[in-house]
Amino acid sequence: MSQRVRKAVLPVAGLGTRFLPATKVIPKEMIPVIDKPVVQYAVEEARAAGIEEFIFVSAEGKESIGAHFSAHPSLEKQLSDKGKTAELKLVRDTSLPPGKIHTVIQENPLGLGHAVWCAWQLVGDEPFVVILPDDMVLSKTPCIKQLIDAHARVGGHVVAVEDVPRDQTNRYGILDVLSEQGSLAKAKGLVEKPAPESAPSTLAIIGRYVLDPIVFKELDKKTKGAGNEIQLTDALNRTLSSVPFHGLRFEGIRYDCGTRVGFVEANVAFGLAHPDMEPRLRPLLKKLLEE
Ligand code: G1P
C-alpha cells in the first residue's frame, strides 16, 4: 500500500519574461484566466485531489501569490458588513488553512530541478506532487487525482504525459518507453528537451507529477543538464533503477499558458467550459471568426 499523497510543490519563481510588460509588477501566475489567477486553478485541482499542504517555491517580489491564498481580514470584514455573502465566500474559499501554506525563496534561477530541491525540508520523506501552474488541464477528474489514483496502484513516480508533434520534442521531458499497459507507459529512460531527430519517442511530460522522495537525493547532487540548468527530468532518470516510472495518458485537455497563444486558447476554452458564459461566448467567437 503506498503512502497517501498530501503535499504539493508549486514552482512559481519564474520571471515571466514572455509576458512583459504585464509581469513587470504582477507575477505571471497571478494573471487571471477568466476570473481566477492561473495559480488558483492549480491549487483548486490539487485540493480536489485531496492535497492538504502547499509549498510555493517563489522569488523576491512575488509575495502576492502567498497573500492570495491567505486570509484577508479587512476585505472580508468590508464584504461581510455590506452583506455581500457570495463575494465573501469566493474570498474565503481561496484561503488555505494557516500552517498549510509555505513559501520557500529560490534565490537563483538554476532550473526546475533546483526549484523542487528547495522544497526538500518541507516535503520530507513522503511522496509528493509537483504542479507547474503554466500547464492548465480541463478534465472531468482532476488530472492530479488521476495521477494519485495511478500512483496508488503502481507506486514510484507517475507523471502526466501526452503525445506532442515530433518537431516539438525539444520543449519537453520525453519518455523512452519500455512497455505500455492501458493508459500507463512504463519508461526505461527520460531525456530533457531532445532534438526531434534523437528523441526516443514523442511522449512528453506535462506539468503534473507524483514523485517518490528518492528524487531529492539525486537533485542534491546539483548536476547540470539541458540549458545548463539542474533538470528534474535528469534527476528522475537517474532513479529509474530504484523506483518505477510511469507516464499516465491522462483524460483531459492541456493548455500551455506559458505562451501568449496558449494563454488566449486557455481563456477561450475555460470560458466555454463556464456554464454562465458559454451561451453568450460561443456566438461571439463565431462572429469574430467570420469577420
Ligand atoms: C519543464 C520540464 C519538462 C516538461 C515541461 C512541461 O520544462 O523541464 O520536462 O516537459 O516543463 O511543461 P519548461 O517548460 O520549464 O522548459
Side-chain angles (χ1 to χ4, degrees), residues 138-152:
L138 251 182
S139 57
K140 284 196 209 91
T141 306
C143 183
I144 286 292
K145 181 163 184 345
Q146 298 178 44
L147 295 180
I148 291 177
D149 289 348
H151 178 261

Side-chain angles (χ1 to χ4, degrees), residues 178-199:
L178 174 70
S179 58
E180 300 223 29
Q181 201 169 27
S183 51
L184 281 175
K186 188 167 188 177
K188 60 174 188 282
L190 302 168
V191 195
E192 179 67 10
K193 301 191 169 68
E197 56 279 14
S198 55

Side-chain angles (χ1 to χ4, degrees), residues 153-203:
R153 298 198 303 273
V154 294
H157 309 301
V158 182
V159 308
V161 294
E162 69 180 18
D163 270 307
V164 295
R166 187 160 275 275
D167 64 3
Q168 288 177 20
T169 56
N170 58 358
R171 290 173 43 188
Y172 299 95
I174 301 288
L175 273 65
D176 188 356
V177 178
L178 174 70
S179 58
E180 300 223 29
Q181 201 169 27
S183 51
L184 281 175
K186 188 167 188 177
K188 60 174 188 282
L190 302 168
V191 195
E192 179 67 10
K193 301 191 169 68
E197 56 279 14
S198 55
S201 77
T202 53
L203 204 52

Side-chain angles (χ1 to χ4, degrees), residues 87-109:
E87 291 81 355
L88 182 60
K89 186 174 177 338
L90 284 177
V91 170
R92 287 202 172 136
D93 283 352
T94 321
S95 309
L96 295 166
K100 299 290 184 192
I101 167 169
H102 313 277
T103 302
V104 188
I105 298 296
Q106 183 188 18
E107 288 180 4
N108 295 306

Side-chain angles (χ1 to χ4, degrees), residues 11 106 108-117 228-232:
Q106 183 188 18
N108 295 306
L110 300 177
L112 176 61
H114 178 256
V116 172
W117 173 86
N228 204 30
E229 291 187 346
I230 301 169
Q231 296 290 356
L232 180 59

Side-chain angles (χ1 to χ4, degrees), residues 8-12 29 36-49 51 54 56 69 96 129-137 142-145 207-208 270:
V9 176
L10 286 90
V12 292
E29 297 78 7
K36 288 187 275 196
V38 167
V39 66
Q40 189 174 334
Y41 290 88
V43 168
E44 287 180 357
E45 182 186 325
R47 289 179 95 182
I51 297 293
F54 291 82
F56 293 95
F69 295 106
L96 295 166
V129 157
V130 175
I131 308 180
L132 310 184
D134 267 356
D135 279 332
M136 295 182 68
V137 181
C143 183
I144 286 292
K145 181 163 184 345
R208 301 285 185 280
F270 278 75

